[in-house]
Structure formats: structure tokens, C-alpha cells
Amino acid sequence: MSETLIKARNLSVGFRIGSGFFGKSILKAVDHVSVDIEKGSFFGLVGESGSGKTTLGRALLKAVPITGGTAHYMDGEVDYDLTTLAGAELKDYRKRAQLIFQDPYAALSPRMTVRDIIAEPLEVMGLTKTREETDARVREIAAKCRLNLEHLRRFPHAFSGGQRQRISIARALVSGPQFIVADESVAALDVSIQADVLNLLKQIQRDLKITFLFISHDLSVVAHTCDHVAVMYLGRLVESAPTRQLFAAPRHPYTKALFSAIPSLDPDDRGRAQKLQGEIPSPTNQPSGCKFHTRCPYAIDRCKKDEPELVNPGDGHEVACHRWAELLAEETA
Amino acid sequence: MTALIEVKNLTIKFRTDEGLVTAVDDVSFSLNKGEVMGLVGESGSGKSVTAKALMHLNARNAVYSPESRITLHTEAGPVEVLKLKSARDLKVVRGGAISMIFQEPMASFAPAITIGNQMIEQLMLHSDMSKKRAREISVEMLDRVGISDPARRVDQYAFELSGGMRQRAMIAMALSTRPKLLIADEPTTALDVTIQAQVIDLMKDLVSEFHMGIVFITHDLGVIAQTADKVSVMYLGRLIEEGPVREVIRNPKHPYTQGLLAALPKLDDLEAPLTPVAGDIPSPLERPSGCVFHTRCPKMLGDVCKTRLPEHVPVDPTHRVACHLHHAEVPA
């Protein structure tokens, strides 16, 4: 059995919005999500805008307050309860868990050299005692991200998108984290560069045994990099399975629709896709029952009333749909 | 088949503090009525600058070379786009015969004017119809692009619509003047994949209905495969390969096109390793000599690539490539 690094149970994140006549309303960005992230894995989280994937990632980094449920971080050395973590322990968690942002153009200060950008976390967290020690650590990490000494002296504006993303990665790695949340880290990059950054992240995962939560809207990228994929829709986890299993036989109608919406590279394979009608509903006005029922081609009355739980039928391929088994039987029949 | 727009030897440089920067370098292509051309390239390849030139929309610091020609064929005869000067003359290419859809629909609508009033304004600008008739057409177009309850939506502001809805409204607005040529600059890039599929379907329907030509700019080869008839691939301002969509995607000839296709993660083979195109796109200030791709090319032949600009050679009558590798194959 492999170890679990992150264990979340019924994790919820709500934001208070507005101050209406009848008091404040709550926007549920993440709604009762239970998830286990194995140590050393590359865990993918997919969903459309507004599905809550970024908020879930931030909640696990304790960058937004958790409003319900539990979440634990266990790396063998420490066992932190993320809902109550504070003070010195929270500071220590910041070293162990890091974030790589989406936009490498906005994430780096234009007025700092690359060396200073990478060294900043070390200095802020007091991880190194002397300047020599800092420099040695920066050089070591920079080399892992294929940045040379010449690069360290320059400012971010002198770099292309791919190089900037490598700088962001180096900055995230410098404190020696065990857990990294990569939020749409290749979405802003060109295709020819994207593969390069993905390969670098995979290499870091293997060499440094770091656990990644890889948040993306791009299913083909996730399919190629992740070991396990979870699909979110309106704050709920609707399906979660090992990558190969998920892509071979998706169980949730939403996952199926997502797959079929990917434009095929075959010019003769036009328009056969099963198209989803409508758009993701506003999170302030969520549908009752199964949140996907307003767009689901297979919705029945029950779906409008009861919210399906995420269940594991025993093969590790979890799904939250009342009709998945029935639909699977129809498909194979 | 009659040509709708012909671009010849288009070269565009921008005057900047660092000197003249070449954005588009000797690009030629033509598009027929009812044809969809995909213009593919990465950031900095010059695809958007090329598209904007078709409407003479580039910023004031743009310098067009004297050889550059863009000819638009209208019912009233050919129009030399780059010779147009006054705002009145330019109306024919800006919203008249040519319309454009932009990437970010939120940034393209005025935030404080209703969708309807923006549509009515441009309809009245390009025709002599009454305001009442313009409003009717606007509602009709919103309905046509699949916006529910168009009579109510027409009086809403852009912020009241969702992302997919805004892009539909953008398309409705662009098509309401019945343009002959539609330029779509990354129209689906900011959308979620399920919404992207809807917008692509809508655009396909509209092409067959309105029979217009489309220049579809994107970096996504999947979107191109789904929409285009022919493809032009750009790199650092040069057109490096062009041909029918099936040919270019199944049988790419230029090492850059091959690299782009290999770098795409494919869903039918999860085991296949991702192969990036080595190196980074050079800064436009440091344009490589010879073939612009030689600094990253895995098949570089040597000095010839570093010093000589490759000519466009046909690999078959419709498929052309600018690469020294293919020069030997053509009889002199």
C-alpha cells in the first residue's frame, strides 16, 4: 500500500458574497470533496472555469480558509491538520507545500533578478544562514531547471514564456517542498514549449519524489502527465480514477462529454462528438440534486432531487452519478 | 472559384525604441469565397498582425513595405486595402466587407453600452436602414447564433452575459452586416472546451449558410482540423508551409510543422512521450539569418540553412513548403 500525503474528507470552501436584504449569502466554491493524494504521485484535477479546481488547490495549501470538513497533510515527518494549522506549524507547512502559477509573465517581479527571485523564499523563511549558502542552493535548483549562471543575473523581461515558467518552478522548488500545486502551469505556453515544461515537471516528480497536484482544463495534457485524475463540476468531485482507467472508460456523463468536446486532430472526424448543451450554471445559483442534471442528456427525475455521492464500486474508479452502472450496461449491451 | 482576397509580398515592420522590428516577412496567400483558411502559429509568429493588415488595423508605428499588396474583390470591383486612407474609405474593410471576431469577448464590447445598441450602431453605419429595422436584424442575429430570449438579451450589457454567450453575441454582431470575409482571431481560446465545441459548430453552420470566406487564426491544431479547408503555418513572420488541411496535418513537410504536431499530447496514445520543439522562439529583435527556423531545427542541413532563405517549393500542386530539405526533390 502506498502512503497518502493529502487526505481530505468532505472538504468545503465557501465565500460570503454581498450583503443582501436578508443577510449574506454563501457561494460554495468547493462542496464536500473527499480526496486522497498518494505520496509521490502526479494527481490531476480537471474541470471547466468555475468548477472550483483552483479553490480546492488553494485550500490544500491553506491559502483560502477551509469552511467545512477535514484535510490532513502527512509526509512521514509531520502530520498537520490543515483546518487548524497556525503559528510555527503553518510556517513550516509553507516550506513543505508550494504553488506554481499559471501566468509566468505576471508571477515574477520585473524589478528583481532571477537570482533574487529564486533566493527570496530562502531568505524570507530563513532557510539559509549565509549568502554563500543561499547562492549554492539557488545554483543547485537553477541547474535542475536548466537555468545557467548567466540567466541568474538577468531580469525576467529577458526571458521567453517557457524560460519564465522554469524560473517559477525553481522558485517553488527552492524551499525543498514535498507537495506542489501546479495551477494551469502550462496553459499560457505555446505548444512547442509546453511539452518541455511538462517533461521538466515529471522529471522533478521522479528525481525529487515530490507530489504534484496538477490543475488543468486541458484533458490531453492531463492524460499524458498524471497518474490519477479527478474531475470537478460546480464544486463537486464527479469522478476520480487512475488516468488509464478514466480515459479508457469514463463513467460520468460529464466526463464523457468533456472527452468528446476535445477537437479531434483528424480532419475527417468532424462533428461526430456528443455535444453538451448550455453552460456551467452560476455557483451562486446552483441546481438542486445532481448539479449536472441541467445539462445531462441522461437526467431523470431522481437526479433533480437527490445529490449522488461519490462511490467506489471496488475497482478504485470513483463516480458520483445515479445512473452510471445502468448507462455502462447499456453501452456494453 | 473566384478569389475573395489576395495578399502579395506582405511585409510589416514596427518602429520601436529598439529600431525596426519585423513582424511579417514576405507573406503571400489568397482566399476564395466560402473557403476557411486556418492561420497557425505560436505567439510572435505574426499571425494576428497579418490578419489585422487585412483590415488595415495595425497601429500607427507599422511600416508596410512598398511591395506589400492586399487586394479585396468586392461586387464593386477590386479594392487595394493598403491604399485606403480616409476613415470613410476604410469602412468597406472595417465592418463592411470584412468583419473580425476577437479572442477576448469581454474586452471587445463597450461595457457601458447595451449589446443591442452596439449592434444597431454598426448596422446603421454600414447601411441606410432605419433604427427600427436595425434592431429587428440584431434580434434575429442573436437568435440565429443560439442566444435564448434574444428580445431581452439585446438590451443587456456585456457583463450580464456568460463567456460563451458573449462570444456568440460577438459572432452575431460580426455577421449582421453580412461580410464577405470574416477574420476570427483565436475565437475559442478563452472558452471552456464544451463551449468551444458549441462555438465551432455554430461557425461551421454559419459558413455554409452565409457562404463567406473565413481566416481562422489559432494555435490549436485540433481546432484547425475541425474547421479549416486549408492551412497556412507561420513562424517568426514567415509563411513556412501551406496546403489542404488533410495534407498538412497528415503529411507535414516542414520540420516546424512536424515538431508542432509531435508536441501535441494525443489522447489515442497515452504512452507516447511528449517531444517539445527544442529551444525557444528567438526574440524578434534577433531574427536568425537564412531560414528563420534554423536555430531550433532538428534537421538543419548546415550553412545553407543559416545563410540562405528557403524559397517556397510545391510538394504537390496545392501543398507548398519553404524548407531547404525539399529543394533537392524538385527538378531544377
Side-chain angles (χ1 to χ4, degrees):
Chain A
M1 239 348 239
S2 47
E3 298 164 71
T4 306
L5 184 80
I6 299 276
K7 189 189 193 93
R9 289 293 171 269
N10 294 317
L11 183 75
S12 298
V13 179
F15 295 108
R16 267 193 211 165
I17 46 163
S19 43
F21 196 64
F22 300 102
K24 295 186 169 79
S25 59
I26 301 280
L27 182 154
K28 275 191 258 171
V30 175
D31 188 7
H32 292 87
V33 167
S34 297
V35 66
D36 287 338
I37 301 177
E38 271 177 27
K39 205 171 171 185
S41 70
F42 212 94
F43 192 100
L45 191 58
V46 296
E48 296 180 280
S49 10
S51 62
K53 52 192 195 302
T54 294
T55 308
L56 177 57
R58 302 222 162 164
L60 295 178
L61 290 174
K62 226 177 145 54
V64 291
I66 295 168
T67 49
T70 61
H72 281 268
Y73 167 89
M74 301 158 284
D75 66 3
E77 288 173 24
V78 294
D79 180 346
Y80 289 144
D81 178 350
L82 297 183
T83 45
T84 56
L85 201 61
E89 284 190 338
L90 179 59
K91 269 195 171 161
D92 180 58
Y93 185 57
R94 297 276 180 246
K95 288 176 213 161
R96 295 172 191 267
Q98 282 286 338
L99 177 64
I100 302 171
F101 293 95
Q102 167 170 4
D103 186 351
Y105 290 86
L108 306 175
S109 165
R111 307 179 74 165
M112 288 166 81
T113 63
V114 171
R115 183 255 168 216
D116 290 344
I117 287 172
I118 301 176
E120 195 182 26
L122 294 175
E123 285 155 3
V124 171
M125 295 176 183
L127 295 175
T128 47
K129 296 196 176 57
T130 60
R131 183 162 171 111
E132 287 70 37
E133 205 184 334
T134 309
D135 280 338
R137 177 81 184 141
V138 168
R139 278 200 292 271
E140 179 199 343
I141 291 297
K144 279 208 169 63
C145 299
R146 284 186 281 114
L147 298 163
N148 59 34
L149 290 179
E150 174 57 34
H151 290 148
L152 292 178
R153 280 198 289 273
R154 293 194 213 154
F155 289 91
H157 72 85
F159 293 90
S160 66
Q163 289 169 322
R164 284 183 206 214
Q165 202 53 295
R166 293 210 294 269
I167 298 169
S168 309
I169 294 170
R171 181 182 161 99
L173 284 177
V174 77
S175 67
Q178 297 287 309
F179 177 51
I180 291 183
V181 175
D183 191 353
E184 297 277 13
S185 298
V186 297
L189 303 179
D190 279 315
V191 207
S192 72
I193 305 296
Q194 180 177 297
D196 186 46
V197 172
L198 288 173
N199 288 341
L200 176 64
L201 290 176
K202 287 295 280 181
Q203 193 192 335
I204 290 166
Q205 177 216 3
R206 279 193 303 269
D207 294 356
L208 304 177
K209 309 269 180 295
I210 292 176
T211 311
F212 275 88
L213 176 65
F214 186 82
I215 300 172
S216 178
H217 69 282
D218 189 332
L219 288 155
S220 25
V221 165
V222 166
H224 272 266
T225 46
C226 298
D227 312 316
H228 190 103
V229 181
V231 183
M232 280 186 87
Y233 187 80
L234 266 185
R236 299 281 293 188
L237 221 54
V238 296
E239 189 161 1
S240 174
T243 308
R244 203 85 45 85
Q245 233 168 311
L246 184 83
F247 281 83
R251 285 178 179 166
H252 198 283
Y254 176 62
T255 316
K256 289 181 198 172
L258 271 186
F259 286 0
S260 73
I262 303 170
S264 161
L265 252 187
D266 180 358
D268 289 320
D269 177 24
R270 287 186 179 180
R272 279 199 290 119
Q274 167 209 351
K275 297 281 158 57
L276 210 54
Q277 296 303 312
E279 297 184 33
I280 192 164
S282 155
T284 50
N285 186 15
Q286 299 192 1
S288 60
C290 172
K291 287 179 179 169
F292 186 57
H293 86 254
T294 53
R295 298 170 80 193
C296 182
Y298 310 105
I300 52 173
D301 277 349
R302 186 179 171 206
C303 304
K304 292 176 193 160
K305 287 180 224 124
D306 304 343
E307 182 150 21
E309 290 295 316
L310 190 71
V311 291
N312 184 350
D315 56 359
H317 187 152
E318 298 173 295
V319 59
C321 174
H322 292 307
R323 301 190 66 197
W324 77 269
E326 197 186 326
L327 295 171
L328 184 69
E330 267 174 41
E331 253 172 49
T332 45
Chain B
M1 285 284 237
T2 44
L4 176 63
I5 194 156
E6 287 173 283
V7 175
K8 285 216 177 78
N9 309 110
L10 182 68
T11 299
I12 305 172
K13 294 181 183 180
F14 285 98
R15 239 181 271 118
T16 69
D17 293 343
E18 280 92 17
L20 276 181
V21 175
T22 307
V24 177
D25 186 7
D26 201 15
V27 163
S28 302
F29 62 85
S30 76
L31 183 75
N32 292 330
K33 268 175 95 174
E35 206 172 27
V36 181
M37 180 178 108
L39 197 55
V40 192
E42 299 180 285
S43 8
S45 62
K47 53 192 195 304
S48 290
V49 176
T50 304
K52 281 186 185 160
L54 302 181
M55 295 174 88
H56 213 333
L57 264 183
N58 279 310
R60 275 167 205 275
N61 62 343
V63 182
Y64 292 84
S65 76
E67 300 83 47
S68 302
R69 280 185 66 185
I70 300 175
T71 315
L72 175 75
H73 295 275
T74 66
E75 276 135 28
V79 177
E80 286 300 325
V81 176
L82 296 179
K83 298 231 166 71
L84 301 174
K85 287 275 179 329
S86 71
R88 187 150 54 96
D89 293 341
L90 279 162
K91 248 166 52 177
V92 62
V93 293
R94 292 187 184 163
I98 308 181
S99 278
M100 187 157 179
I101 305 173
F102 298 91
Q103 173 171 359
E104 188 30 82
M106 191 64 214
S108 316
F109 277 112
I113 306 174
T114 61
I115 301 279
N117 281 340
Q118 295 183 57
M119 294 182 73
I120 292 166
E121 182 191 4
Q122 65 136 6
L123 275 169
M124 291 174 66
L125 208 66
H126 288 289
S127 66
D128 43 17
M129 66 177 65
S130 68
K131 192 167 180 188
K132 187 162 164 282
R133 178 81 192 111
R135 191 184 159 88
E136 280 166 23
I137 291 184
S138 302
V139 174
E140 254 174 60
M141 280 310 299
L142 288 176
D143 186 41
R144 182 64 200 80
V145 296
I147 290 182
S148 57
D149 202 0
R152 188 170 63 86
R153 294 283 182 196
V154 76
D155 292 321
Q156 288 189 325
Y157 296 90
F159 71 86
E160 296 178 87
L161 307 182
S162 65
M165 201 86 91
R166 257 180 238 142
Q167 199 55 292
R168 282 166 192 271
M170 188 83 223
I171 294 172
M173 179 154 154
L175 296 186
S176 60
T177 53
R178 303 257 161 176
K180 300 280 177 291
L181 175 67
L182 179 69
I183 301 166
D185 190 355
E186 303 263 10
T188 61
T189 307
L191 305 177
D192 279 319
V193 50
T194 58
I195 310 300
Q196 166 173 291
Q198 294 170 8
V199 171
I200 288 178
D201 272 4
L202 171 68
M203 292 193 60
K204 281 193 225 167
D205 292 348
L206 294 170
V207 183
S208 49
E209 188 182 327
F210 290 73
H211 203 64
M212 63 199 158
I214 296 190
V215 177
F216 204 116
I217 302 169
T218 178
H219 66 278
D220 188 332
L221 284 160
V223 172
I224 288 291
Q226 290 298 303
T227 50
D229 301 312
K230 62 177 188 182
V231 188
S232 299
V233 184
M234 287 186 77
Y235 183 81
L236 270 188
R238 303 241 0 142
L239 204 68
I240 52 135
E241 182 162 6
E242 57 176 338
V245 66
R246 283 177 186 74
E247 266 296 300
V248 174
I249 284 182
R250 293 207 186 122
N251 197 9
K253 291 295 181 195
H254 198 284
Y256 175 63
T257 320
Q258 292 167 353
L260 266 190
L261 282 159
L264 277 184
K266 285 168 205 70
L267 275 180
D268 43 14
D269 184 5
L270 298 187
E271 303 306 314
L274 295 175
T275 27
V277 179
D280 285 298
I281 300 177
S283 147
L285 291 168
E286 297 155 16
R287 273 177 81 76
S289 58
C291 170
V292 285
F293 187 58
H294 85 253
T295 54
R296 299 172 74 193
C297 185
K299 295 180 178 169
M300 225 244 304
L301 294 169
D303 280 347
V304 62
C305 297
K306 288 185 192 159
T307 52
R308 275 186 39 209
L309 201 62
E311 298 280 318
H312 279 257
V313 291
V315 284
D316 71 44
T318 50
H319 189 175
R320 290 151 58 84
V321 60
C323 175
H324 289 299
L325 277 175
H326 296 277
H327 276 199
E329 291 171 19
V330 186

